[in-house]
Amino acid sequence: MITKSLPSLFTVGNLFLGVLAIILVFNENPDMAAVLVIVAMLLDGLDGRVARALNAQSEFGKELDSLSDVISFGVAPAFIMYVVAFGDIRPAAAAWIVTALFPICGALRLARFNVVAGTPGYFIGLPIPAAGGILATLALFHNEINVFVLLVSTILLSYLMVSNVKYPNFKKAGIPKAAIWVTPIIVLVAVVIAIKEPSFISKMIFIPLVIYALYGLKKNVDRLFTLRRRKRKGKGVEVEELANSKTHL
């Protein structure tokens, strides 16, 4: 019974960190709140893998994971960004709308993920943990980044979550069953590093997350250009065939 509940414990841990991050924001500790969101990403990445390794997958776990993700990677990062960067934006309604837009798009993305069959090996839209991780990390460096850039980045991340851009799905990379009981130690080590060296772990996470987000965007742009070239080529063939037919006439 305990073994079967282990994936859900990781998910609840993810939710706990998300709620704790929101509390820390309102207690004037947004930097630690952002770090907790990053640690929650680790728990989110482990729960599904642990469930598959233990053959403990369930609809309950799937729904719990989605609800937790909305809080930890939607609401929490949006609040963090609002407190550290958007609070002085005028008109204030613009900051409110952008802040609300992020968790709304995250919820829509999760709802679509739960009901729409995706492409094997790919996610449709930027996964909310990646989007939330990027936003939380950007919040850590709000003093070095122009507020307009942060505003545009939040809108872009919101759009990418509900877009049809394809992103590689690495969730199939599993954990050997024998290594399951090592995962709590990994989480504990990650928490200690995050608390001791928040800037180190944030930079370590931020770079691959941004590359991941831009990779999916680039692949989508490449696909659009490929489709345009095919259409032009098709039109060129049609024009050539029409010219040949007139010549024969």
Side-chain angles (χ1 to χ4, degrees):
M1 185 66 179
I2 295 176
T3 301
K4 293 294 183 180
S5 301
L6 189 59
S8 293
L9 290 176
F10 279 109
T11 306
V12 170
N14 162 18
L15 176 58
F16 172 75
L17 291 178
V19 173
L20 195 59
I22 294 172
I23 294 172
L24 285 172
V25 167
F26 288 104
N27 282 276
E28 300 181 353
N29 196 351
D31 289 351
M32 184 52 64
V35 170
L36 289 185
V37 171
I38 295 170
V39 176
M41 286 181 59
L42 174 62
L43 293 177
D44 181 70
L46 287 173
D47 59 5
R49 289 174 172 81
V50 170
R52 285 187 291 274
L54 297 175
N55 194 25
Q57 294 169 282
S58 66
E59 284 300 312
F60 172 82
K62 182 179 178 182
E63 295 301 325
L64 179 62
D65 184 63
S66 293
L67 292 170
S68 300
D69 286 357
V70 170
I71 300 297
S72 298
F73 309 118
V75 177
F79 268 117
I80 293 168
M81 184 59 78
Y82 177 81
V83 168
V84 301
F86 297 164
D88 295 328
I89 291 177
R90 295 293 179 270
W96 299 344
I97 291 170
V98 173
T99 301
L101 181 67
F102 187 81
I104 288 170
C105 289
L108 291 171
R109 192 244 177 260
L110 287 166
R112 181 178 65 178
F113 174 76
N114 286 343
V115 299
V116 178
T119 305
Y122 289 91
F123 290 118
I124 303 301
L126 181 65
I128 187 172
I134 293 173
L135 195 66
T137 310
L138 283 172
L140 279 172
F141 303 107
H142 65 276
N143 289 324
E144 289 80 30
I145 304 174
N146 184 277
V147 67
F148 178 75
V149 175
L150 295 175
L151 203 66
V152 171
S153 298
T154 305
I155 295 171
L156 178 61
L157 289 169
S158 301
Y159 162 73
L160 288 175
M161 284 192 287
V162 295
S163 71
N164 291 320
V165 177
K166 291 183 179 179
Y167 286 91
N169 180 357
F170 301 116
K171 284 198 170 185
K172 296 302 180 184
I175 298 174
K177 193 170 182 178
I180 291 297
W181 301 108
V182 181
T183 53
I185 299 173
I186 295 173
V187 173
L188 184 61
V189 170
V191 170
V192 171
I193 295 174
I195 293 172
K196 295 290 186 182
E197 299 289 341
S199 61
F200 169 75
I201 195 168
S202 59
K203 290 175 182 177
M204 186 177 68
I205 294 292
F206 180 68
I207 294 172
L209 283 179
V210 169
I211 292 173
Y212 181 71
L214 294 177
Y215 171 79
L217 196 58
K218 177 183 178 300
K219 293 290 285 186
N220 195 62
V221 171
D222 290 344
R223 184 170 63 86
L224 288 175
F225 278 115
T226 301
L227 289 173
R228 285 185 180 180
R229 282 196 295 268
R230 287 177 181 174
K231 285 182 181 178
R232 288 176 183 173
K233 188 176 180 181
K235 288 180 181 179
V237 171
E238 288 177 5
V239 170
E240 187 177 346
E241 287 178 350
L242 182 62
N244 290 336
S245 63
K246 287 181 178 180
T247 303
H248 289 309
L249 290 174

